[in-house]
């Protein structure tokens, strides 16, 4: 129960980084699912205005956040360097979502 108290600082940091990589993998899976739902136009079934509107209702998040996630969902395929860094845990979800707003294949390496 208290085995974490016996960890060294390096082991604790490693555990944090591993947990972060798992969390990113789940977030990436969610973004890919968002893109798939958008491509299927699932929002039309519920008379939503667009994917962000539907997503905000479906997941109980703000429309602002939903719109950012939709943009980021499509950026996964458009920004291979950033996506790879995100998958490795070098970028947080928040940073990837913000990069997705303005980065392009031509600018992502510099950013």
């Amino acid at each position: 129960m208290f085995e974490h108290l016996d960890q060294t600082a390096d082991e604790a940091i490693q555990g944090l980084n591993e947990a972060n990589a798992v969390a990113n993998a789940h977030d990436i899976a969610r973004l890919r699912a968002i893109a798939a739902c958008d491509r299927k136009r699932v929002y039309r079934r519920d008379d939503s205005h667009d994917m962000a509107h539907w997503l905000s209702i479906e997941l109980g998040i703000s429309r602002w956040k939903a719109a950012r996630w939709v943009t980021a969902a499509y950026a996964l395929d458009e920004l291979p360097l950033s996506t790879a860094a995100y998958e490795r845990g070098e970028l947080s979800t928040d940073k990837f979502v913000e990069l997705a707003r303005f980065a392009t294949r031509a600018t992502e390496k510099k950013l």
Side-chain angles (χ1 to χ4, degrees), residues 3-69:
E3 62 275 351
H4 65 279
L5 296 177
D6 295 330
Q7 289 181 325
T8 66
D10 287 341
E11 290 169 335
I13 292 168
Q14 181 180 352
L16 173 63
N17 288 329
E18 288 170 1
N20 188 57
V22 169
N24 279 7
H26 285 279
D27 287 347
I28 290 166
R30 178 175 47 205
L31 291 176
R32 291 200 186 283
I34 288 168
C37 287
D38 190 36
R39 284 197 277 301
K40 296 291 183 186
R41 307 232 185 317
V42 298
Y43 57 87
R44 290 181 177 174
R45 295 188 329 178
D46 297 324
D47 294 325
S48 295
H49 303 281
D50 55 27
M51 186 62 191
H53 180 230
W54 180 85
L55 192 61
S56 70
I57 294 166
E58 185 71 14
L59 298 185
I61 60 176
S62 71
R63 182 131 187 221
W64 178 87
K65 184 178 219 175
R68 295 280 203 254
W69 283 5

